Amino acid sequence: MKIPFNWPYMTGKELYNIAQCHFNGRLAGDGPFTALCHQWLQQYSGAERALLTNSCTAALEMSALLLDIQPGDEVIMPSYTFVSTANAFVLRGAVPVFVDIRPDTLNIDEQLIAPAITSKTKAIVPVHYAGVSCEMDTILQLAKKYELAVVEDAAQGVMSSYKGRTLGSMGDLGAFSFHETKNVISGEGGALLVNNVRYATAAEIIREKGTNRSQYFRGEIDKYTWQEHGSSFLPGELIAAFLWAQLEEAKQITSRRLSSWNYYHAHFADAERMGLLSRPVIPSDCVHNAHMYYVVLNPALDRQPVLDGLKALGIGAVFHYVPLHSAPAGVKFGRVEGNMSNTDLLSAQLIRLPLWVGISETQQDFVAESLMKLLGKS
C-alpha cells in the first residue's frame, strides 16, 4: 500500500471554471473569478480588503512594504516556521528576532515576546501552526502597548478561528496560502487580508506594480499612473478560477479533513497514555481546520529510523521545519532572544502523517498501525 503525504483535492468544478476564463476572453488577473474570491474572503474574514496574491510569500512581502520596514528594523517571530515568514522582512533589511514556541500548540510563546521588544522592533508576526491559533489576545495587547504592527502568518489557517474570530483577521494584516499542500488550494496562490483601513489603498497600489490601476478600473480616476514602489503580486485569472471552485466548498472540505483528523487522534490516544508520543493540542478557545495531523515522539526515541521505516512501507510521513535560528541564513540575518529549548526539541521529534480529503480509514489504519509497530522496535 503506497500512501502519499498529500494528494491535491479537486471539487470537479475547477476545469469548468478555467474553461470559462477562456470563453470570457480573460486570462490575466483581476477578472470575474478574482472578484468572486475577493468577495468571499472579505465576507468570511470581515477584512477591510482581501487581495489575491501569487503566494502567501507575496502577501508577506507586501506586508513588509506596507509597514515600510527599513534596514535595521526588528520583527519578532517564531523560529519554527517556513522561511517565507522571515524572508519577507529580511528582503527589506530587517532583522528577524526568533523566540521560542509553546510546548502544547507549537505556536510562538506569547510570554516571551515582551522580553524581545527593543526600540528597533516594528512588528510581531505570529504564525498559526497547523491551523491552530496563537494566543492572539495577549499578542494584540502587547502590540497596542508598544505601538507595534501585527502581521498574522495564517498560511495554514483558512477556516480556523480564535474566540470566534477568523485567523488572519485580527492583526493589521494577515496572509493566507492556497498552495497545493493546504486545505483550500489553487496550486500556487495566496491572499493578503488588510484589516487596518490605513493600508487598504496602499495595498492595492503595491499589488498592481505601484500604480493606481485598481481605482481606474473602478471608475474612480480617469487614468492610472505610477504612484509608489510595488510589484506584480496578483495571480492570473486561471488561478482564481481554480480557487473559486475550492472556496465554494471550503466548509465541506474542512468537515471531511476534520473527520480524518479525529480518526487519527482516536488511534493514538493509547500511545500517548503509554508515553510513546504526544498528540496535537487544541485549546478550548480555538477552532482548527485539520490542516495537518502530527505526533511528537518521546525524546528518548530516535525519529529517523521511524521515518525510514515508514518510507520503506510506502507511507509518506515527513518531518517539518528545520528551525530558522539554526539555518545558515537565520544565523546570518537574524538573532535569537532567550533559549530555544522547545523549538530545538520538538522540531527534532515531530512527524507529520498523511492527511488529505479522500484518505480512507483503511489507509489511516495502516499508517497508525505501522507507526506503532516501529515505535515498539525503537
Side-chain angles (χ1 to χ4, degrees):
M1 186 182 294
K2 191 169 182 63
I3 305 175
F5 172 70
N6 180 65
W7 190 260
Y9 172 70
M10 290 179 65
T11 69
K13 301 177 184 177
E14 289 84 356
L15 298 183
Y16 173 82
N17 288 355
I18 288 171
Q20 192 66 35
C21 290
H22 185 259
F23 179 80
N24 292 339
R26 184 60 181 268
L27 303 184
D30 280 346
F33 284 106
T34 298
L36 287 170
C37 293
H38 285 173
Q39 182 181 33
W40 190 97
L41 289 165
Q42 285 171 194
Q43 290 177 347
Y44 158 71
S45 68
E48 178 68 27
R49 194 149 301 168
L51 299 169
L52 292 191
T53 58
N54 44 45
S55 64
C56 184
T57 300
L60 291 167
E61 290 177 5
M62 285 181 65
S63 298
L65 287 166
L66 286 164
L67 298 180
D68 194 28
I69 297 296
Q70 297 294 317
D73 288 346
E74 294 182 348
V75 180
I76 297 170
M77 64 184 66
S79 171
Y80 193 61
T81 184
F82 190 56
V83 296
S84 295
T85 311
N87 258 338
F89 300 93
V90 168
L91 282 169
R92 309 302 304 162
V95 177
V97 178
F98 302 119
V99 299
D100 207 2
I101 55 175
R102 292 169 46 149
D104 54 355
T105 61
L106 280 66
N107 284 326
I108 190 170
D109 189 333
E110 67 279 1
Q111 301 302 322
L112 301 179
I113 294 174
I117 295 173
T118 72
S119 60
K120 297 179 180 179
T121 307
K122 291 298 177 69
I124 304 169
V125 185
V127 179
H128 303 300
Y129 186 70
V132 178
S133 180
C134 298
E135 178 47 55
M136 288 304 295
D137 281 352
T138 300
I139 292 170
L140 294 171
Q141 289 166 6
L142 283 170
K144 183 176 181 181
K145 178 180 179 180
Y146 292 99
E147 298 182 335
L148 304 174
V150 174
V151 179
E152 292 179 74
D153 185 335
Q156 302 170 6
V158 177
M159 303 304 288
S160 293
S161 63
Y162 169 82
K163 296 184 178 180
R165 291 172 286 177
T166 300
L167 300 197
S169 72
M170 293 170 278
D172 296 280
L173 301 161
F176 283 156
S177 172
F178 302 119
H179 186 270
E180 73 166 44
T181 57
K182 301 304 188 291
N183 295 25
V184 175
I185 64 172
S186 58
E188 294 282 356
L192 176 70
L193 299 185
V194 182
N195 306 310
N196 188 329
V197 65
R198 66 181 288 193
Y199 299 120
T201 299
E204 285 189 334
I205 290 172
I206 287 172
R207 177 176 173 271
E208 270 283 12
K209 310 159 190 75
T211 73
N212 52 359
R213 189 168 179 262
S214 294
Q215 291 171 287
Y216 169 72
F217 281 119
R218 288 197 298 266
E220 296 170 4
I221 52 177
D222 61 357
K223 58 181 178 295
Y224 68 89
T225 58
W226 185 20
Q227 299 288 308
E228 259 291 353
H229 51 208
S231 189
S232 185
F233 287 113
L234 68 161
E237 189 68 357
L238 300 181
I239 294 292
F242 194 108
L243 178 61
W244 176 240
Q246 298 267 318
L247 291 176
E248 285 190 294
E249 295 194 17
K251 288 184 180 179
Q252 296 94 313
I253 290 169
T254 305
S255 176
R256 293 179 67 180
R257 292 184 70 99
L258 281 167
S259 179
S260 297
W261 191 98
N262 289 330
Y263 194 75
Y264 270 140
H265 206 57
H267 244 302
F268 293 113
D270 287 342
E272 186 170 54
R273 283 191 287 269
M274 293 164 59
L276 293 172
L277 53 79
S278 297
R279 298 180 299 165
V281 173
I282 312 297
S284 60
D285 49 15
C286 297
V287 174
H288 75 111
N289 60 0
H291 171 61
M292 74 172 82
Y293 196 88
Y294 64 85
V295 295
V296 179
L297 302 187
N298 183 302
L301 300 174
D302 187 352
R303 179 179 67 178
Q304 194 55 50
V306 177
L307 286 173
D308 291 343
L310 292 171
K311 182 179 179 181
L313 292 169
I315 297 171
V318 296
F319 62 87
H320 213 177
Y321 313 122
V322 174
L324 299 187
H325 75 277
S326 62
V331 173
K332 180 179 179 180
F333 297 118
R335 72 173 178 85
V336 172
E337 177 64 32
N339 76 70
M340 306 296 284
S341 56
N342 287 332
T343 301
D344 290 333
L345 175 63
L346 296 170
S347 65
Q349 297 302 110
L350 184 141
I351 295 177
R352 294 187 292 161
L353 302 179
L355 177 63
W356 70 87
V357 174
I359 190 171
S360 69
E361 290 185 354
T362 300
Q363 289 172 313
Q364 290 186 273
D365 289 338
F366 182 64
V367 171
E369 291 162 7
S370 298
L371 176 58
M372 292 304 298
K373 288 178 182 177
L374 289 164
L375 292 180
K377 296 177 182 177
S378 298

